[in-house]
Amino acid sequence: RKEVEQDPGPFNVPEGATVAFNCTYSNSASQSFFWYRQDCRKEPKLLMSVYSSGNEDGRFTAQLNRASQYISLLIRDSKLSDSATYLCVVIPGMDSSYKLIFGSGTRLLVRP
Amino acid sequence: DGGITQSPKYLFRKEGQNVTLSCEQNLNHDAMYWYRQDPGQGLRLIYYSQIVNDFQKGDIAEGYSVSREKKESFPLTVTSAQKNPTAFYLCASNPQSTDTQYFGPGTRLTVL
């Protein structure tokens, strides 16, 4: 089983739609969680950190479910510019805070 | 401007040649990292360095070497021992106070 798993997609949605991605992780001791966005042939950029209480940044909401070991990303009112690959990132534990484990990404396509 | 720079953006190499990828940051970050990304896959850690003159192997260090003589610089050498070097190479860094990593624009290496 992979340490971090994501549905590769693509998720093909119309502008204005709400879309959600999930990401599961295998290490129950994982400490930190992030969503990164990666445009085609570019570097990943931090979208948001994921806190136990959940967090929201404009149209984006991230949630953490420790019991079921998954994190989610909800995008409301999708824009064409949201088209990208979304990478789920997990830091396994306190003794390996340097080590980010990346999912392979979920591709989102927003159509006019 | 503060940031992480990588050069060159594209690199072509003949089989059997060593090649060095540059990574420089002026963010005063302590830790630096090298990742490799293959199509449809997550990033994998090659090497990391948390302080000057010290570095550690990541998950896929075979066929690679690094140095950290200065805080700002963390070059990666892809040696002829690396069996499948064609990939997108990403450098990242973070300050001691946070586990959020920030990425350079990447170098796309193609072995001919």
Coordinates of all heavy atoms in Angstrom, one line a residue, chain A residues 2-3 8 31-32 34 36 38 40-46 49 87 91 97-105, chain B residues 9-10 33 35 37 40-45 48 50 57 59 88 90 94 99-106 108:
Chain A
K2 N 0.6 2.2 -0.9 CA 1.3 3.4 -0.9 C 1.1 4.2 0.4 O 0.0 4.2 1.0 CB 0.9 4.3 -2.1 CG 1.3 3.7 -3.4 CD 0.9 4.7 -4.5 CE 1.3 4.2 -5.9 NZ 0.9 5.1 -7.0
E3 N 2.1 5.0 0.7 CA 2.0 5.8 2.0 C 1.0 6.9 1.8 O 0.3 7.3 2.8 CB 3.4 6.5 2.3 CG 4.4 5.4 2.8 CD 5.7 6.1 3.2 OE1 5.7 6.6 4.4 OE2 6.6 6.1 2.4
P8 N -6.1 9.7 -9.3 CA -5.3 10.5 -10.3 C -6.3 11.4 -11.2 O -5.8 12.4 -11.8 CB -4.6 9.5 -11.2 CG -5.4 8.3 -11.0 CD -5.9 8.3 -9.6
Q31 N 2.0 13.7 11.1 CA 1.8 15.0 11.9 C 1.3 16.2 11.2 O 0.6 17.0 11.7 CB 3.2 15.3 12.5 CG 3.7 14.3 13.5 CD 2.9 14.2 14.8 OE1 2.5 15.2 15.3 NE2 2.6 13.0 15.2
S32 N 1.8 16.3 10.0 CA 1.5 17.5 9.2 C 1.0 17.2 7.8 O 1.4 16.2 7.2 CB 2.7 18.4 9.1 OG 3.2 18.8 10.4
F34 N -0.5 18.8 3.9 CA -0.5 20.0 3.1 C -1.2 19.6 1.7 O -1.2 18.5 1.3 CB 0.9 20.5 2.7 CG 1.8 20.7 3.9 CD1 2.5 19.7 4.4 CD2 1.8 22.0 4.5 CE1 3.4 19.9 5.5 CE2 2.6 22.2 5.6 CZ 3.4 21.2 6.1
Y36 N -0.6 21.0 -2.1 CA 0.2 21.8 -3.1 C -0.5 21.7 -4.4 O -1.2 20.7 -4.8 CB 1.6 21.2 -3.3 CG 2.6 21.6 -2.2 CD1 2.6 21.0 -0.9 CD2 3.6 22.5 -2.5 CE1 3.5 21.4 0.0 CE2 4.6 22.8 -1.5 CZ 4.5 22.3 -0.3 OH 5.5 22.6 0.7
Q38 N 0.2 22.0 -8.6 CA 1.3 22.0 -9.6 C 0.7 22.2 -11.0 O -0.1 21.4 -11.4 CB 2.1 20.7 -9.5 CG 3.3 20.6 -10.4 CD 4.1 19.4 -10.2 OE1 3.6 18.3 -9.8 NE2 5.4 19.5 -10.6
C40 N 1.2 22.4 -15.1 CA 1.9 21.6 -16.1 C 3.3 22.0 -16.3 O 3.6 23.2 -16.6 CB 1.1 21.5 -17.4 SG 1.8 20.3 -18.5
R41 N 4.3 21.2 -16.0 CA 5.7 21.4 -16.2 C 6.3 22.5 -15.3 O 7.3 23.2 -15.7 CB 6.0 21.7 -17.7 CG 5.5 20.6 -18.6 CD 5.8 20.9 -20.1 NE 7.2 20.7 -20.4 CZ 7.8 19.6 -20.7 NH1 7.1 18.5 -20.7 NH2 9.1 19.6 -21.0
K42 N 5.6 22.8 -14.2 CA 6.1 23.8 -13.3 C 6.3 23.1 -11.9 O 6.0 21.9 -11.7 CB 5.0 24.9 -13.1 CG 4.7 25.6 -14.4 CD 5.7 26.6 -14.7 CE 5.2 27.5 -15.8 NZ 6.2 28.5 -16.2
E43 N 6.9 23.9 -11.0 CA 7.1 23.4 -9.6 C 5.8 23.4 -8.8 O 4.9 24.2 -9.0 CB 8.2 24.2 -8.9 CG 7.8 25.6 -8.4 CD 7.9 26.7 -9.5 OE1 7.8 26.4 -10.7 OE2 8.0 27.9 -9.1
P44 N 5.8 22.5 -7.8 CA 4.6 22.6 -6.9 C 4.7 23.9 -6.1 O 5.7 24.3 -5.7 CB 4.9 21.4 -6.0 CG 5.9 20.5 -6.7 CD 6.7 21.4 -7.5
K45 N 3.5 24.4 -5.8 CA 3.4 25.6 -4.9 C 2.4 25.3 -3.8 O 1.3 24.7 -4.1 CB 2.9 26.8 -5.8 CG 4.0 27.2 -6.8 CD 3.6 28.5 -7.5 CE 4.8 28.9 -8.4 NZ 4.4 30.1 -9.2
L46 N 2.7 25.7 -2.6 CA 1.9 25.5 -1.5 C 0.5 26.1 -1.7 O 0.4 27.3 -1.9 CB 2.5 26.0 -0.2 CG 1.7 25.8 1.1 CD1 1.6 24.3 1.4 CD2 2.4 26.6 2.2
S49 N -2.0 24.6 4.2 CA -1.7 23.6 5.2 C -3.1 23.0 5.7 O -4.1 23.7 5.5 CB -1.0 24.1 6.4 OG 0.2 24.7 6.0
L87 N -1.5 18.1 -5.3 CA -0.7 17.1 -4.7 C -1.0 17.1 -3.2 O -1.0 18.2 -2.5 CB 0.8 17.4 -4.9 CG 1.3 17.6 -6.3 CD1 2.7 18.0 -6.3 CD2 1.1 16.3 -7.0
I91 N 3.6 14.7 6.3 CA 4.9 14.5 7.0 C 4.6 13.4 8.0 O 3.8 13.5 8.9 CB 5.4 15.8 7.7 CG1 5.7 16.8 6.6 CG2 6.6 15.5 8.6 CD1 6.2 18.1 7.2
S97 N 10.7 15.2 10.5 CA 10.0 16.4 10.0 C 10.5 16.9 8.7 O 9.8 17.7 8.1 CB 10.1 17.5 11.1 OG 11.5 17.8 11.3
Y98 N 11.7 16.5 8.3 CA 12.1 16.9 7.0 C 11.5 16.2 5.8 O 11.5 16.6 4.7 CB 13.6 16.6 6.9 CG 13.9 15.1 7.0 CD1 13.9 14.3 5.9 CD2 14.0 14.5 8.2 CE1 14.1 12.9 5.9 CE2 14.2 13.1 8.3 CZ 14.2 12.3 7.2 OH 14.4 11.0 7.2
K99 N 10.9 15.1 6.1 CA 10.5 14.2 5.0 C 9.1 14.3 4.6 O 8.2 13.9 5.3 CB 10.8 12.7 5.4 CG 10.7 11.7 4.3 CD 11.1 10.3 4.8 CE 10.9 9.4 3.6 NZ 11.4 8.0 4.0
L100 N 8.9 14.9 3.4 CA 7.6 15.1 2.9 C 7.3 13.8 2.0 O 8.1 13.4 1.2 CB 7.5 16.3 2.0 CG 7.1 17.6 2.7 CD1 8.0 18.0 3.8 CD2 7.0 18.7 1.7
I101 N 6.1 13.3 2.2 CA 5.7 12.2 1.3 C 4.6 12.7 0.4 O 3.6 13.2 0.9 CB 5.1 11.0 2.2 CG1 6.1 10.6 3.3 CG2 4.8 9.8 1.2 CD1 7.4 10.0 2.7
F102 N 4.8 12.6 -0.9 CA 3.9 13.2 -1.9 C 3.0 12.1 -2.4 O 3.5 11.0 -2.8 CB 4.7 13.8 -3.0 CG 5.4 15.1 -2.7 CD1 6.5 15.1 -2.0 CD2 4.8 16.3 -3.0 CE1 7.2 16.3 -1.6 CE2 5.4 17.5 -2.7 CZ 6.6 17.5 -2.0
G103 N 1.7 12.5 -2.6 CA 0.9 11.7 -3.4 C 1.2 11.9 -4.9 O 1.9 12.9 -5.2
S104 N 0.7 11.1 -5.8 CA 1.0 11.3 -7.2 C 0.1 12.4 -7.8 O 0.4 12.7 -9.0 CB 0.9 10.0 -7.9 OG -0.4 9.4 -7.7
G105 N -0.8 12.9 -7.1 CA -1.6 14.0 -7.6 C -2.9 13.7 -8.2 O -3.1 12.6 -8.7
Chain B
K9 N 17.3 25.3 -16.9 CA 15.9 24.9 -17.0 C 15.7 23.6 -17.7 O 15.0 22.7 -17.3 CB 15.0 26.0 -17.6 CG 13.5 25.7 -17.5 CD 12.8 26.9 -18.0 CE 11.3 26.7 -17.9 NZ 10.5 27.8 -18.4
Y10 N 16.5 23.4 -18.8 CA 16.5 22.2 -19.6 C 17.9 21.7 -19.7 O 18.8 22.6 -20.0 CB 15.9 22.4 -20.9 CG 14.4 22.8 -20.9 CD1 14.0 24.1 -21.0 CD2 13.4 21.8 -20.7 CE1 12.7 24.5 -21.0 CE2 12.1 22.2 -20.7 CZ 11.7 23.5 -20.8 OH 10.4 23.9 -20.8
Y33 N 16.6 20.6 -0.1 CA 16.2 19.2 -0.5 C 16.3 19.1 -2.0 O 16.2 20.1 -2.8 CB 14.8 18.9 -0.1 CG 14.5 19.2 1.3 CD1 14.2 20.5 1.7 CD2 14.4 18.2 2.2 CE1 13.9 20.8 3.0 CE2 14.1 18.5 3.6 CZ 13.8 19.8 3.9 OH 13.6 20.1 5.3
Y35 N 14.5 16.6 -5.0 CA 13.5 15.7 -5.4 C 13.6 15.4 -6.9 O 14.1 16.2 -7.7 CB 12.1 16.2 -5.1 CG 11.8 16.4 -3.7 CD1 12.0 17.7 -3.1 CD2 11.2 15.4 -2.9 CE1 11.7 17.9 -1.7 CE2 10.9 15.7 -1.6 CZ 11.1 16.9 -1.0 OH 10.8 17.1 0.3
Q37 N 10.9 14.0 -10.0 CA 9.5 13.7 -10.3 C 9.5 13.0 -11.7 O 10.1 13.6 -12.7 CB 8.7 14.9 -10.3 CG 7.2 14.7 -10.5 CD 6.4 15.9 -10.5 OE1 6.8 17.0 -10.8 NE2 5.1 15.8 -9.9
G40 N 3.4 11.3 -13.9 CA 2.3 10.6 -13.2 C 2.7 10.1 -11.9 O 1.9 9.3 -11.3
Q41 N 3.8 10.5 -11.3 CA 4.3 10.0 -10.0 C 4.5 11.2 -9.1 O 4.7 12.3 -9.5 CB 5.5 9.2 -10.1 CG 5.4 8.0 -10.9 CD 6.6 7.1 -10.8 OE1 7.3 7.0 -9.8 NE2 6.9 6.3 -11.9
G42 N 4.5 10.9 -7.8 CA 4.8 11.9 -6.8 C 6.3 12.2 -6.7 O 7.1 11.5 -7.3
L43 N 6.6 13.2 -6.0 CA 8.0 13.6 -5.9 C 8.7 12.6 -4.9 O 8.1 12.1 -3.9 CB 8.2 15.0 -5.3 CG 8.0 16.2 -6.2 CD1 6.6 16.3 -6.8 CD2 8.4 17.4 -5.5
R44 N 9.9 12.2 -5.3 CA 10.7 11.3 -4.4 C 12.0 12.0 -4.0 O 12.7 12.7 -4.8 CB 11.0 10.0 -5.2 CG 9.8 9.2 -5.4 CD 10.1 7.9 -6.1 NE 10.6 8.1 -7.5 CZ 11.2 7.2 -8.3 NH1 11.4 6.0 -7.8 NH2 11.5 7.5 -9.5
L45 N 12.3 11.9 -2.7 CA 13.5 12.6 -2.1 C 14.8 11.9 -2.4 O 14.9 10.7 -2.2 CB 13.3 12.6 -0.6 CG 14.3 13.3 0.2 CD1 14.3 14.8 -0.1 CD2 14.1 13.1 1.7
Y48 N 19.0 15.4 1.2 CA 18.6 16.6 1.9 C 19.7 17.0 2.8 O 20.6 16.2 3.2 CB 17.3 16.4 2.7 CG 17.4 15.5 3.9 CD1 17.6 15.9 5.2 CD2 17.3 14.1 3.6 CE1 17.6 15.0 6.2 CE2 17.3 13.2 4.7 CZ 17.5 13.7 6.0 OH 17.6 12.8 7.0
Q50 N 20.3 19.7 6.3 CA 19.7 20.5 7.3 C 20.7 21.6 7.8 O 20.2 22.6 8.3 CB 19.2 19.7 8.4 CG 18.0 18.8 8.0 CD 17.5 17.9 9.1 OE1 18.1 17.1 9.7 NE2 16.2 18.1 9.4
K57 N 21.1 11.0 2.8 CA 20.5 10.3 1.7 C 19.0 10.3 2.0 O 18.5 10.1 3.1 CB 21.0 8.9 1.6 CG 22.4 8.8 1.1 CD 22.8 7.3 0.9 CE 24.3 7.2 0.4 NZ 24.7 5.8 0.3
D59 N 15.3 8.7 -0.2 CA 14.9 7.4 -0.6 C 15.5 6.8 -1.8 O 15.5 5.6 -2.0 CB 13.3 7.5 -0.8 CG 12.6 7.9 0.5 OD1 13.0 7.4 1.6 OD2 11.7 8.7 0.4
F88 N 12.3 15.2 -14.0 CA 12.2 16.6 -13.6 C 12.7 16.7 -12.2 O 12.3 16.0 -11.3 CB 10.7 17.0 -13.7 CG 10.4 18.4 -13.4 CD1 11.2 19.4 -13.9 CD2 9.3 18.8 -12.8 CE1 10.9 20.8 -13.7 CE2 9.0 20.2 -12.6 CZ 9.8 21.1 -13.1
L90 N 13.6 18.8 -8.8 CA 13.2 19.9 -8.1 C 14.0 20.1 -6.8 O 14.2 19.1 -6.1 CB 11.7 19.8 -7.7 CG 10.7 19.9 -8.9 CD1 9.5 19.1 -8.7 CD2 10.4 21.4 -9.1
N94 N 13.5 25.0 3.3 CA 12.6 25.6 4.3 C 13.4 26.1 5.5 O 14.5 25.6 5.8 CB 11.6 24.5 4.8 CG 12.1 23.4 5.6 OD1 12.6 22.4 5.0 ND2 12.1 23.5 6.9
D99 N 7.9 23.5 8.7 CA 8.1 22.3 7.9 C 7.6 22.5 6.5 O 7.5 21.6 5.7 CB 7.5 21.0 8.6 CG 6.1 21.2 9.1 OD1 5.4 22.2 8.6 OD2 5.7 20.5 9.9
T100 N 7.1 23.7 6.2 CA 6.6 24.0 4.8 C 7.8 24.2 3.9 O 8.7 25.0 4.2 CB 5.8 25.2 4.8 OG1 4.7 25.0 5.8 CG2 5.2 25.5 3.5
Q101 N 7.8 23.4 2.8 CA 8.9 23.5 1.9 C 8.5 24.3 0.7 O 7.4 24.2 0.2 CB 9.4 22.1 1.4 CG 10.0 21.4 2.5 CD 10.6 20.0 2.1 OE1 10.7 19.7 0.9 NE2 10.9 19.2 3.1
Y102 N 9.5 25.1 0.1 CA 9.2 25.9 -1.0 C 10.2 25.5 -2.1 O 11.3 25.2 -1.9 CB 9.5 27.4 -0.7 CG 8.5 27.9 0.4 CD1 8.9 27.8 1.7 CD2 7.3 28.4 0.1 CE1 8.0 28.2 2.7 CE2 6.4 28.8 1.1 CZ 6.8 28.7 2.4 OH 5.9 29.1 3.4
F103 N 9.6 25.5 -3.3 CA 10.3 24.8 -4.5 C 10.9 25.8 -5.4 O 10.3 26.9 -5.7 CB 9.4 23.9 -5.2 CG 9.1 22.6 -4.5 CD1 8.1 22.6 -3.5 CD2 9.8 21.5 -4.7 CE1 7.8 21.5 -2.8 CE2 9.6 20.3 -4.0 CZ 8.5 20.3 -3.0
G104 N 12.0 25.4 -6.0 CA 12.6 26.1 -7.2 C 11.8 25.7 -8.4 O 11.0 24.8 -8.4
P105 N 12.1 26.4 -9.6 CA 11.3 26.1 -10.8 C 11.7 24.8 -11.5 O 11.0 24.4 -12.4 CB 11.7 27.3 -11.7 CG 13.1 27.7 -11.2 CD 13.1 27.5 -9.7
G106 N 12.7 24.1 -11.0 CA 13.0 22.8 -11.6 C 14.0 22.8 -12.8 O 14.1 23.8 -13.5
R108 N 14.7 20.2 -16.0 CA 14.2 19.0 -16.7 C 15.4 18.4 -17.5 O 16.0 19.0 -18.4 CB 13.1 19.4 -17.8 CG 12.3 18.2 -18.2 CD 11.0 18.7 -18.8 NE 10.1 19.4 -17.9 CZ 9.2 18.8 -17.1 NH1 9.1 17.5 -17.1 NH2 8.4 19.5 -16.3

